[in-house]
Amino acid sequence: MKLQIHSGKFLVNTTKSNYYTLRKLSKIISLVINPLVVAPFTFGLIIYNDQTLISKNLIFSVSILFTNILPLLTIFYYRKIGKLSEFDAPLREQRIELLVIAAMYNAVGFIFLEYLGASLIVKGLMFCYAINTAVVWRITRYWKISIHMVGIGGPIIALWFSGFQYPILMGAIVILVGLARILLRAHTPAQVITGTVLAMGLAYIELKLLFL
């Protein structure tokens, strides 16, 4: 009888340990593969592999400024003044204003890229960020769609159009981040799937019809 009790406790402790390990791993995945990291990484790959661009450093700097630096500074400011409970804005209501500001940053970034003569795919990606962020803002007013998945889906389409066609790797990243967001209970499966499909669908239509 005592052996059974000890065995049961061992199984419970093991299960809890595995669960906490998975949660820690999910937090790391969510931190490393998040929209503010994915954006400069995607722009960097596209810009520095484009042999037709001349002012690569300048165009890349503009891209980083409007998709990473300014949004990140805004998040830090909102956290400092108490408008965010956490840096990742876990509450739906806390995301609404930030999404509006991010969409404006992206729109201004698109104007700068147009002025600098960036390639169509680079301008198109920034355009996707502006429009898709605005769409996500509209949805977030009523439903907490996954921004992580939106931030992955669009760039994957842009990378695919740029010649980075690695379906297994890209699919693995989508699944990995999606599972991480669900395991952390940040989103439901429906919110994760919708974010992915919406971002990929919008990016494909926008890039194909307007830029490529």
Side-chain angles (χ1 to χ4, degrees):
M1 185 68 178
K2 288 183 178 180
L3 179 61
Q4 290 180 340
I5 293 174
H6 286 305
S7 298
K9 287 183 178 180
F10 174 76
L11 289 173
V12 170
N13 290 334
T14 302
T15 302
K16 286 183 178 180
S17 176
N18 291 339
Y19 175 72
Y20 289 130
T21 300
L22 285 175
R23 279 188 63 87
K24 287 182 181 179
L25 183 60
S26 296
K27 287 181 179 180
I28 294 172
I29 292 171
S30 295
L31 179 64
V32 173
I33 311 176
N34 75 75
L36 291 177
V37 174
V38 172
F41 178 78
T42 304
F43 275 108
L45 279 178
I46 294 174
I47 291 170
Y48 287 103
N49 280 277
D50 188 344
Q51 303 304 320
T52 64
L53 285 176
I54 299 176
S55 305
K56 292 184 179 182
N57 292 337
L58 179 58
I59 291 174
F60 181 58
S61 297
V62 169
S63 301
I64 288 183
L65 177 64
F66 290 101
T67 61
N68 177 276
I69 297 175
L70 289 178
L72 190 60
L73 289 175
T74 304
I75 289 172
F76 277 114
Y77 174 71
Y78 270 53
R79 177 76 171 124
K80 182 178 180 181
I81 64 176
K83 282 194 171 185
L84 290 180
S85 56
E86 300 290 343
F87 284 109
D88 62 347
L91 301 178
R92 177 180 60 83
E93 295 78 8
Q94 295 178 347
R95 299 181 169 200
I96 295 174
E97 195 170 333
L98 286 173
L99 287 168
V100 174
I101 295 172
M104 293 173 63
Y105 286 152
N106 299 153
V108 175
F110 172 75
I111 294 172
F112 270 88
L113 290 177
E114 179 72 33
Y115 176 77
L116 292 173
S119 62
L120 290 174
I121 188 64
V122 173
K123 291 188 293 186
L125 179 56
M126 186 65 80
F127 180 87
C128 287
Y129 269 106
I131 298 300
N132 294 1
T133 303
V135 171
V136 170
W137 159 74
R138 184 68 179 176
I139 295 173
T140 303
R141 293 178 63 191
Y142 309 100
W143 195 52
K144 191 186 175 187
I145 191 171
S146 176
I147 296 175
H148 266 76
M149 303 315 295
V150 171
I152 293 174
I156 282 179
I157 297 299
L159 286 171
W160 189 275
F161 282 141
S162 299
F164 298 93
Q165 300 177 354
Y166 304 101
I168 296 177
L169 176 60
M170 291 172 168
I173 291 173
V174 169
I175 293 172
L176 196 64
V177 177
L179 289 175
R181 302 307 291 163
I182 293 171
L183 186 60
L184 290 172
R185 297 182 180 178
H187 295 285
T188 64
Q191 291 167 341
V192 166
I193 294 170
T194 302
T196 307
V197 174
L198 178 69
M200 287 185 165
L202 286 176
Y204 181 88
I205 293 171
E206 290 158 359
L207 291 173
K208 200 70 175 177
L209 292 183
L210 300 177
F211 295 94
L212 303 177

